[in-house]
């Protein structure tokens, strides 16, 4: 059977380099699920309302997160915004802020404060380059139908911008977040070693058909074609240190996913972050895309933690391990606050998944 | 301003050659809205539960529809199904059944009884050819990810089947229903004059971005790219008699569109059928895709009625006219049964639309 060899395997705890932990009640609901997903290190996205644009805000946010879950390392980020100056970058570097995240205006949840043009940020990028602060790119162009840009082409059409930024700032460390296309994988590969890409768990599983008609599979960037998904799966097991895990787990109240006129974009995977990667790899082996021996302990370890930790320079990580168990669990149908007022629906609710335990 | 010249224009009442009128309470809610859309002739799809597979069922259904709205001509159809034989076709022709609709299994609402392979129906098609009964094709292949078939490519991948059927049964009159791609338009054009295509109102307006996150824009076939939409718009004003209106208005209870885990596929346009075509053409003129003079009274008349009536041989149509009025109305936010138990949400609810009146 696919991946039987990984049943009982011991891996370092996963690192998830793209998470949305929100604030308020949602934060309180979601943060305690991080370790359930086999994860002890997260890179926290700054798209709160209002966005995290100051070091002070980021550190206050970090303190709240740590008080909710002291056994997780929280890497913090700022939201690229006109108020961010080279001075902010220097201050951020000093305070240990790991990255600055760029959202093109309007492409996803809480991105209305996002970037319209990168040119005005060149001095900021130059300072980031010299201070070794990572640029995290949400790599999508806003839709422009006259130019043929839709949710389907938004990522591919952004890639020239990635290449241009890399050319202008060759030492700037850049993460192309949540790669969803074969073209994105190729673009990241074509750049120098300081340009890398994160890949989510759900984009290893779903394609356009899955979010057509299913609010809980709808996210930005949208899942693309089967060929794109398969390129992501191959990147995961490629041993290429440029690719590592970032779940883009994006919780929304269940009421924002269904029941309204619009469906909020985001797939919630946090409590099953590692497990869902295994599920997706297992399915890919099952349908013959990957060989079981390609999904080796070593490659998994690279994708789920080592590659990203190396990129972010996390030498002094907690020395923790997880043990995997095949198809040991059913994904919860919902998570709720004790008062029942807030409900979040996990991806693949009610379906079989791997399980794991910290050891 | 775009289409000012059509303000006050008088046209023959529209014919809508692709409608879902359902049964029970939904039928009672929807049928009285047909004329509100400027339509006095409809081709009724047979995908009830169970599907309409006998002439008797079709005629009983027709009687119910006529009792609800005597001032509409209802063209009836059967659902292509293993129980349909050449004898059924002869009986259908005699009873005035206008067409037989083929649904590939599983591609849309109530299509689970659909076709897996066309070969077994060749004797039926041969009889349809000789009896002059129209074959109405839902032109999509079921998704097959290993073969790269998704909702985005399902129509284009079906086109070789259309061409093959046309080659095998060159006199069979075929409607490729709800064309959504430039490729479909080209395929229909490439066939003889007895192969035609219907085009909906909503596919003249929306693209993939619109149904990404909006349950009320989600339908099958899904709206595709801006280039595809623009090809449809050009076909509408091309004066090509191969293309005519079929709204594919597909009402679902609002609860099936939102609030559940899955979103039912279908856009409800019936009460605004003609108006929404005008809205879409006006928007296309507004953004410079079409010239205002291309949207002539004559071409509109062809698309909205004449082309289809000619194809279906409706010489003896009611001699009724409508007068158009620009941006005269706001689309209702919902339609409800008097008891409030059933609610349907129209496409573009709350937005400005053209209005019209029978004269």
């Amino acid at each position: 059977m696919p991946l039987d060899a990984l049943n009982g395997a011991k891996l370092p705890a996963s690192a998830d380099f793209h998470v949305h932990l929100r604030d308020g009640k949602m934060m309180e609901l979601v943060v305690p699920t991080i370790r359930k997903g086999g994860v002890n290190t997260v890179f926290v996205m700054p798209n709160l309302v209002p966005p995290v644009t100051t070091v002070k805000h980021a550190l206050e946010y970090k303190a709240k997160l740590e008080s909710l879950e002291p056994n997780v390392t929280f890497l913090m980020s700022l939201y690229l915004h006109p108020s961010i100056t080279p001075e902010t970058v220097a201050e951020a570097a000093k305070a240990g802020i790991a990255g600055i995240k760029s959202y093109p205006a309007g492409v996803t949840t809480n991105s209305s404060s996002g970037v319209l043009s990168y040119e005005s940020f060149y001095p900021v990028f130059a300072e980031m380059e010299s201070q070794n602060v990572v640029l995290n790119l949400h790599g999508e162009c806003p839709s422009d139908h006259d130019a043929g840009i839709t949710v389907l082409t938004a990522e591919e059409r952004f890639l020239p911008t990635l290449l241009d930024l890399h050319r202008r700032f060759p030492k700037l460390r850049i993460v192309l977040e949540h790669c969803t296309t074969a073209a994105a994988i190729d673009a990241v590969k074509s750049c120098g070693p300081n340009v890398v890409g994160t890949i989510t768990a759900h984009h290893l599983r779903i394609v356009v058909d899955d979010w057509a008609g299913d609010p809980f599979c709808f996210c930005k960037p949208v899942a693309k074609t089967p060929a794109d998904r398969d390129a992501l799966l191959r990147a995961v097991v490629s041993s290429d240190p440029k690719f590592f895990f970032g779940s883009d787990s994006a919780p929304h109240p269940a009421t924002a996913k269904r029941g309204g006129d619009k469906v909020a974009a985001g797939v919630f995977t946090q409590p099953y972050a590692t497990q869902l990667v295994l599920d997706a790899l297992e399915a890919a082996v099952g349908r013959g895309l990957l060989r079981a021996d390609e999904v080796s302990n070593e490659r998994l370890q690279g994708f789920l933690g080592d590659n990203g930790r190396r990129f972010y320079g996390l030498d002094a990580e907690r020395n923790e391990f997880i043990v995997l168990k095949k198809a040991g669990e059913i994904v919860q149908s919902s998570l709720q606050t004790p008062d029942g007022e807030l409900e979040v629906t996990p991806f693949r609710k009610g379906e079989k998944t791997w399980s794991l335990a910290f050891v």
Side-chain angles (χ1 to χ4, degrees), chain A:
Chain A
M1 294 290 290
L3 302 199
D4 272 0
L6 288 171
N7 195 12
K10 186 176 167 188
L11 269 76
S14 300
D16 181 348
F17 287 99
H18 189 133
V19 302
H20 296 275
L21 300 177
R22 314 299 191 203
D23 50 12
K25 279 200 171 186
M26 184 64 93
M27 172 180 71
E28 291 165 25
L29 184 61
V30 169
V31 170
T33 72
I34 296 170
R35 287 178 62 89
K36 174 165 170 42
V39 168
N40 73 357
T41 304
V42 293
F43 182 99
V44 183
M45 290 297 158
N47 59 332
L48 303 183
V49 182
V52 180
T53 55
T54 66
V55 172
K56 181 168 176 283
H57 189 175
L59 296 181
E60 285 166 3
Y61 185 27
K62 185 181 187 183
K64 280 191 215 164
L65 296 170
E66 284 174 337
S67 74
L68 283 167
E69 178 48 276
N71 295 312
V72 164
T73 300
F74 296 94
L75 303 180
M76 304 308 292
S77 63
L78 299 182
Y79 188 114
L80 188 65
H81 181 270
S83 67
I84 303 258
T85 62
E87 291 68 41
T88 319
V89 173
E91 188 196 351
K94 207 170 158 189
I97 303 293
I100 299 182
K101 173 78 182 284
S102 149
Y103 291 91
V107 297
T108 190
T109 303
N110 302 340
S111 65
S112 58
S113 313
V115 171
L116 293 168
S117 156
Y118 286 96
E119 210 165 326
S120 59
F121 292 104
Y122 288 172
V124 170
F125 295 161
E127 186 67 17
M128 289 170 72
E129 197 175 28
S130 81
Q131 295 280 353
N132 205 21
V133 172
V134 170
L135 176 63
N136 305 85
L137 291 175
H138 180 120
E140 288 196 297
C141 293
S143 282
D144 177 343
H145 295 169
D146 288 337
I149 305 175
T150 65
V151 293
L152 297 174
T153 55
E155 181 174 275
E156 187 157 2
R157 296 288 284 272
F158 180 84
L159 299 174
T161 301
L162 168 69
L163 300 181
D164 180 63
L165 290 174
H166 179 46
R167 191 176 50 78
R168 288 177 191 275
F169 305 97
K171 289 179 192 159
L172 179 60
R173 289 191 303 134
I174 299 177
V175 184
L176 184 65
E177 298 289 344
H178 42 53
C179 299
T180 62
T181 56
I185 297 294
D186 290 344
V188 168
K189 280 185 186 167
S190 77
C191 295
N194 49 320
V195 176
V196 300
T198 56
I199 298 176
T200 76
H202 53 285
H203 288 117
L204 296 178
R205 188 69 182 238
I206 62 175
V207 298
V208 56
D209 286 357
D210 296 286
W211 57 267
D214 185 340
F216 298 108
C217 288
F218 173 58
C219 58
K220 297 279 185 71
V222 298
K224 308 291 191 312
T225 69
D228 287 316
R229 177 197 57 191
D230 293 353
L232 305 180
L233 284 159
R234 284 198 195 92
V236 167
V237 299
S238 66
S239 304
D240 187 336
K242 277 173 165 284
F243 298 103
F244 53 83
F245 184 43
S247 70
D248 195 13
S249 172
H252 287 282
T255 50
K257 292 296 279 179
R258 58 178 175 197
D261 282 355
K262 302 282 174 168
V263 177
V267 167
F268 176 57
T269 52
Q270 204 68 67
Y272 303 93
T274 302
Q275 298 91 317
L276 289 164
V277 172
L278 289 161
D279 293 340
L281 291 168
E282 187 173 36
V285 170
R287 63 191 167 83
L289 180 82
L290 304 177
R291 296 190 320 272
D293 68 287
E294 289 180 288
V295 191
S296 65
N297 194 313
E298 189 190 344
R299 291 177 185 191
L300 263 183
Q301 189 168 327
F303 177 74
L304 289 172
D306 288 357
N307 299 349
R309 287 190 171 107
R310 201 173 302 120
F311 181 80
Y312 280 103
L314 305 179
D315 305 320
E317 263 291 73
R318 300 163 207 269
N319 195 23
E320 281 192 300
F321 292 87
I322 53 175
V323 169
L324 309 178
K325 193 179 157 198
K326 191 171 167 168
E329 212 170 326
I330 302 294
V331 175
Q332 282 177 268
S333 58
S334 85
L335 274 77
Q336 294 184 28
T337 50
D339 62 9
E341 278 182 16
L342 180 64
E343 183 190 356
V344 185
T345 307
F347 179 60
R348 301 193 72 230
K349 67 169 178 155
E351 294 185 50
K352 256 195 176 176
T353 184
W354 284 61
S355 63
L356 56 79
F358 276 85
V359 288

